[in-house]
Amino acid sequence: MKTEHLKCDVLCVGGGIGGLMAAIRAAELGAKVIVAEKGNVIHSGKGGGGCDHYLCYIPEVHGPDMNAYIDEMMQTQQYLNFQNLGMKRIRTHLERTFDIVRLWDSWGIPTKKNGKYHFAGHAFPGGFRCLLKYQGQRQKPVLTSEARKRKVKIINRVMVNDLIANGSVTGAIGIDTRTDRIITFETGSVILGTGGTTRLFPALTPGWFNNNATRLSLTGDGRLMAYRAGAELQDVEMRLLHAGPKYFARFGQATWVGVFRDPHDRPIGPFVTKPEGLYGDITPEVNKAIFLDYAKAARGPVYMDGRGISDKDYEDMMNWLPHEGLTPIMNHMKEEGIDYRKNPVEFTTYDHGCQGRIVANEKGETSLKGLYAVGEELAPGVSNASVFGWICGEQAVNYVKNADRSDTDDASEQVEEKAGLLRDLASRKQGADWKEVNVALQQIMLDHAGMLRNEPLLKAGSFHLARLRKKASQIMRAANQHEMIKCLEVLNLMEMGELVFTGALDRKETRGTHVRADYPLTNPRFNKKIHVIKKVDGKPITEWRDISK
């Protein structure tokens, strides 16, 4: 097995929006920067398919009172993104959004419509419109170009799987996704931006991993390597739900202009009665599970109904859909002769992972020195990723300037342990492939930590998952390097599943997407707390902690 050793000041793990923005800023400040990306930075990450909305506070548009803007914002789905982060983090984010919007526009990511900033969708009628419409279809190629202009070294198709740390981060271990090669990185700081956690629960269509709104390759790698290195995670037991077209899982729920209606043409929410592009129908953002609720009560299906949409709103919607990564469904509807103005589209709820994140402050600093978190590892959304990517790039450079880098950890034993795992996976001629193990994991998670939870279910699921994890370590095999990476992802997912069971058992209440049938009440004593999980003496330990103000 070949090995390679690389040195840098700042290592960005993951080349999504957050990772690239961090790399750009750190390089501008004079740091030697490497971006290590499991796929290809041109189209990797949750934002790789594009986006058409950017959370942004502009005083000239929204008025000078940021608190009023925040109050309105926290009544929408942004609440799910920002809950348990603390007001200091929220204000730090919003104060920088307009700067990033203007920067992106200067780089060639258009943020204006007809020369003006245009806010639409994700809003209550008559309230603040918090999301700026922008043309994000080519945001990743643009950011990649900006990184390369600043001499950032981009290494595609390398999965960083472990951090090298002993009280502080000094490096990382990566595996080439195409050849038999291990890369060790020696660095002054690490910025983790590896995206969320998908493939933990089943996709919309059983057995079809890719029928998921997010990317197949986003498997919680960053938060797991942070956890193993000693960093803290929070709220890992909370499930992440979204909504969109049934059987064709995609983001972009609010890009569709219409009214959510039941089979009897009745609106399912109280907010709109006819298609209206400026605000949209915000009903699913009040309750992402509403489509499942209708199905359980035999009141569905529920449709996004565009009948009666104005020509202008229809034209705008068709313009924005490609920027949200919805070109495939547009092409499908065209090929099948489906006219959205005449044919309502059935919508449903997607379950695409856990909502947990790495514990970090308003500077992106984690509990492990030299380690920073961006993107989904910090909080969801393109706006969050871009702003905190920029902030973390600055903070990482400042850290490196003041850190003592003379004593580098010897990672030879850790590298050999990883190489031994890879040899075991590659040498087996018989056994289970990654898909078999992944499906078994999803079945356990769905059956024991799904929509309804209780102590017996969670304990049984934890028991079954421990058995699966032990068995997989003995029989899982990889026929090639691609399958090797998938096996490593599944190993991460199983570890994340165990943390979900640990957190769910300890959270003895019902809150949001975490529904405990044996603890149906929401405990108000936990309203301003985060649920922290960390590794102590090789075992996960939980604690409740006040939200940082």
Side-chain angles (χ1 to χ4, degrees), residues 27 161 168 212 244 458 542-543:
N161 193 240
S168 63
N212 197 304
L458 292 168
T542 60
E543 68 174 77

Side-chain angles (χ1 to χ4, degrees), residues 139-153:
Q139 59 191 3
K140 289 302 302 297
V142 170
L143 295 180
T144 301
S145 175
E146 292 297 324
R148 289 197 165 118
K149 286 178 185 177
R150 292 159 178 79
K151 309 302 181 185
V152 172
K153 183 179 180 66

Side-chain angles (χ1 to χ4, degrees), residues 38 45 159-161 194-201 209 214-225 228 352-354 376-377 434 438 441-442 485-497:
K38 185 162 57 172
M159 178 188 185
V160 175
N161 193 240
T194 58
T197 305
T198 190
R199 287 182 18 220
L200 186 60
F201 291 89
F209 289 110
T214 191
R215 298 298 178 96
L216 185 68
S217 59
L218 302 182
T219 49
D221 305 335
R223 60 197 70 178
L224 266 302
M225 69 178 89
R228 290 192 291 265
H352 62 93
C354 57
E376 297 274 318
E377 304 295 6
W434 69 270
N438 204 154
L441 167 64
Q442 290 181 342
I485 299 304
K486 294 303 174 188
C487 287
L488 294 176
E489 291 175 343
V490 172
L491 291 173
N492 278 340
L493 287 168
M494 287 191 290
E495 188 171 10
M496 178 57 71

Side-chain angles (χ1 to χ4, degrees), residues 268-344:
I268 66 170
F271 307 110
V272 294
T273 57
K274 63 179 181 180
E276 205 284 315
L278 203 55
Y279 295 97
D281 190 345
I282 201 170
T283 301
E285 298 184 31
V286 177
N287 177 13
K288 287 289 187 184
I290 193 168
F291 306 102
L292 295 179
D293 294 342
Y294 264 70
K296 289 177 184 176
R299 297 171 62 195
V302 175
Y303 299 92
M304 167 54 80
D305 184 7
R307 291 173 296 178
I309 187 172
S310 70
D311 291 343
K312 179 182 179 301
D313 281 346
Y314 180 74
E315 181 182 347
D316 282 347
M317 186 186 87
M318 299 305 287
N319 172 66
W320 292 118
L321 285 173
H323 293 289
E324 189 67 10
L326 291 166
T327 301
I329 197 168
M330 292 174 67
N331 292 341
H332 171 73
M333 292 174 72
K334 183 177 180 180
E335 290 169 3
E336 297 298 322
I338 300 171
D339 186 344
Y340 175 67
R341 291 166 292 189
K342 299 177 181 178
N343 305 108

Side-chain angles (χ1 to χ4, degrees), residues 223-266:
R223 60 197 70 178
L224 266 302
M225 69 178 89
Y227 168 78
R228 290 192 291 265
E232 299 172 337
L233 307 182
Q234 72 175 75
D235 304 319
V236 296
E237 66 277 6
M238 305 302 288
R239 292 165 57 249
L240 193 59
L241 303 180
H242 201 65
K246 195 169 186 179
Y247 307 124
F248 208 121
R250 290 294 187 274
F251 290 118
Q253 161 236 307
T255 305
W256 297 81
V257 178
V259 179
F260 288 106
R261 297 184 186 276
D262 69 12
H264 306 289
D265 279 348
R266 294 176 300 211

